[in-house]
Amino acid sequence: MKSDKKRFPAAVASILASLSLLAACQTPGSGVVTPAPSASMSTSPAPSPSGLEPTLAPPVSVPSPQPTVTPSSAPTITPTAEPSSEPSTAPTVVATPVPSASHLVFGKIFVIAGNGKTGAPETGIDVKEIALPDHLSAIVVDKQNKIWMLNNSTGILGEVTNIISRDTSELGTLEYRLYWDRAKDLSQTSGMAYDSQHHLFYIVQQTTNQVLRYDPVSKDITVFAGTGLSGYNGDRAALETQFSQPSDVALDSSGNLYVTDTGNHLVRKISADGQVTTIAGVYTPDIYVKEEDENPSLIPLGGTTGDGGLANQARVDSPSSIAVDSAGTIYFSSRSNTIRSIANGMIKAYAGSGQTGYNGDGFRAELVHLNQVGDMAVGPDGNLYFIDKGNLRVRRVLFRNDVLIIETLAGNGQSGSFASVFDDPLKADILPENIAFDSSGNIYIYDQAHRRLRQLQVNNG
């Protein structure tokens, strides 16, 4: 009996070994249940069919917007939708321009012109001693880096000279700029563009619904576009075309001029040969009857539709500021608190959520709240710079980690006190109204609250 007991465990072990070998030969799905790995087994993922380890794309880090912070002049607006911190598989905004390899870096902000008093500047004196008006229509910098200021209250276009150096025996070398009146009779103007190739200025005059051209050499002011009558009569030769309360102009490298035809809710192009073409918006008359009138009058109905489609079939709501880059992409703002772009005949949302308010910087441009988008300019780095007037800031749109974002360059959301902040433009109290670049990349800002022309100095080394 003892010998039988010894043989029985050996037989059982032999049978179990045979069953184990049989199980190892089974294929998946044959009904054999694969046991769970023991604690000592590796839990690493199995290799892919190709024998390579699977790779996971790193998530895109997109900071969430900060809670809505309202500047002193803007009502508190709470965002209705917070941007997701997860990477977007199909971003809402597909940027038109190619991301630039670099962008401008800025340092100090300081005063160029103005003594803080309100009034018309006195011609021929040091710009630090001049009074400046409550509003300027526009500022531009010419090819000689002279600054031109268009004063819509006096109708005067004035020039701020380059720095003049003069050696004195008592005070050493003095450096200063002078202001000179250059053109008059330009009342009720609202926008200006400079043609550096021909040294000419194009100026929007809202009271006559026209675009004027000024030659600083001959001093001639001529009508470039518009009949002088407010209305819409289609696309035709520039001098035969009616505009309605045009706001701004921009010039491309081919000599085409772009006009925001605000009252007609259109963006229009005037070619170098003087032909007007509507490039964005559809003129749609609507019947509006005033209570005191027996006869109805026709007015165009604005709107914001058509993003992702043909620009000349989209709806545009009161376009105002406009800019164009070296590739011919056009940017314009409108009453909808957004910036849209036009490239190759197609229109897209470019920046702005459409909500009025302020919710911070550093996240996707289409999620950023804006408040009264003002003057715009394309910088030497190809990025779009603009005034967010209601939020008391100068901002720009640029790519960061292949995501189009908005960031603030100057302004802290306050405009009450004046200080020439040399260390951090983000601490400056400012109410920006106009911006312009010089050839070095410095930005000139008209600070409406303090009646001063300030420079945001480029600091790219």
Side-chain angles (χ1 to χ4, degrees):
M1 293 295 293
K2 290 181 180 181
S3 61
D4 291 339
K5 289 179 181 180
K6 291 179 180 179
R7 288 194 300 269
F8 181 75
V12 172
S14 176
I15 293 171
L16 291 176
S18 298
L19 290 174
S20 176
L21 178 64
L22 180 62
C25 295
Q26 300 300 316
T27 59
S30 61
V32 177
V33 179
T34 303
S38 66
S40 63
M41 296 177 64
S42 171
T43 57
S44 301
S48 63
S50 64
L52 300 176
E53 290 295 327
T55 58
L56 298 177
V60 178
S61 177
V62 180
S64 299
Q66 300 299 316
T68 300
V69 179
T70 306
S72 58
S73 63
T76 302
I77 303 294
T78 303
T80 58
E82 293 291 333
S84 172
S85 60
E86 295 297 324
S88 174
T89 56
T92 304
V93 174
V94 179
T96 300
V98 177
S100 58
S102 61
H103 58 270
L104 295 176
V105 177
F106 298 94
K108 301 176 182 178
I109 184 170
F110 52 90
V111 173
I112 294 293
N115 60 10
K117 297 179 181 179
T118 303
E122 184 180 346
T123 190
I125 68 172
D126 189 330
V127 295
K128 292 286 184 69
E129 303 302 324
I130 62 175
L132 289 172
D134 290 333
H135 299 280
L136 286 179
S137 299
I139 56 175
V140 300
V141 182
D142 70 15
K143 59 185 177 181
Q144 297 176 338
N145 277 337
K146 296 177 181 178
I147 307 163
W148 295 76
M149 300 186 297
L150 185 59
N151 186 337
N152 60 351
S153 60
T154 62
I156 294 176
L157 176 62
E159 171 199 312
V160 175
T161 68
N162 287 318
I163 294 176
I164 300 170
S165 296
R166 184 166 63 91
D167 293 329
T168 67
S169 57
E170 295 180 356
L171 301 175
T173 301
L174 296 179
E175 291 188 343
Y176 55 93
R177 299 171 186 255
L178 298 178
Y179 169 83
W180 297 96
D181 288 343
R182 294 304 187 194
K184 299 182 180 181
D185 302 323
L186 295 169
S187 61
Q188 299 303 310
T189 52
S190 63
M192 177 169 58
Y194 174 64
D195 179 355
S196 60
Q197 184 177 356
H198 301 99
H199 193 46
L200 297 170
F201 295 86
Y202 293 89
I203 300 168
V204 174
Q205 190 168 44
Q206 282 193 316
T207 51
T208 62
N209 302 287
Q210 292 174 315
V211 178
L212 309 179
R213 182 168 61 189
Y214 169 66
D215 184 339
V217 176
S218 67
K219 311 298 182 185
D220 291 335
I221 300 174
T222 56
V223 176
F224 181 74
T227 64
L229 298 176
S230 176
Y232 176 79
N233 61 348
D235 293 342
R236 54 188 67 206
L239 293 174
E240 299 173 359
T241 301
Q242 291 181 357
F243 297 89
S244 177
Q245 300 175 14
S247 294
D248 200 10
V249 284
L251 196 70
D252 69 14
S253 58
S254 299
N256 300 305
L257 194 71
Y258 300 90
V259 183
T260 48
D261 191 359
T262 306
N264 285 327
H265 304 285
L266 305 172
V267 178
R268 310 181 85 175
K269 169 185 171 182
I270 306 175
S271 61
D273 61 0
Q275 182 65 37
V276 174
T277 305
T278 297
I279 63 168
V282 177
Y283 181 84
T284 306
D286 189 23
I287 296 179
Y288 173 75
V289 182
K290 293 183 179 180
E291 294 181 359
E292 65 272 18
D293 293 344
E294 294 182 1
N295 298 320
S297 59
L298 297 180
I299 62 170
L301 179 67
T304 300
T305 64
D307 288 334
L310 292 172
N312 60 8
Q313 295 180 11
R315 299 296 293 275
V316 176
D317 187 4
S318 303
S320 50
S321 298
I322 192 166
V324 59
D325 66 18
S326 59
T329 300
I330 302 150
Y331 308 91
F332 69 94
S333 62
S334 69
R335 189 161 52 191
S336 60
N337 271 316
T338 59
I339 300 172
R340 303 167 83 184
S341 67
I342 305 169
N344 301 318
M346 306 296 286
I347 190 168
K348 294 179 181 179
Y350 187 73
S353 67
Q355 295 188 49
T356 302
Y358 176 76
N359 60 347
D361 282 338
F363 51 95
R364 295 179 184 271
E366 79 273 16
L367 300 174
V368 177
H369 300 343
L370 305 176
N371 188 353
Q372 299 176 41
V373 178
D375 200 13
M376 300 194 300
V378 175
D381 55 2
N383 295 312
L384 181 68
Y385 294 71
F386 67 95
I387 287 174
D388 193 353
K389 189 170 184 178
N391 287 324
L392 309 172
R393 287 168 166 87
V394 178
R395 310 176 85 176
R396 68 177 168 188
V397 188
L398 77 164
F399 281 94
R400 181 162 292 158
N401 298 325
D402 296 326
V403 176
L404 200 65
I405 69 164
I406 288 179
E407 68 176 13
T408 297
L409 300 173
N412 63 9
Q414 304 293 326
S415 64
S417 64
F418 170 76
S420 189
V421 180
F422 287 90
D423 56 345
D424 188 356
L426 295 177
K427 295 179 181 178
D429 282 16
I430 193 170
L431 176 55
E433 186 174 40
N434 313 100
I435 55 173
F437 280 91
D438 66 15
S439 59
S440 299
N442 300 304
I443 303 178
Y444 295 90
I445 306 166
Y446 185 59
D447 182 358
Q448 179 185 345
H450 306 110
R451 284 91 178 176
R452 287 175 168 92
L453 181 65
R454 306 173 84 170
Q455 183 192 83
L456 182 57
Q457 190 175 59
V458 70
N459 189 24
N460 276 51

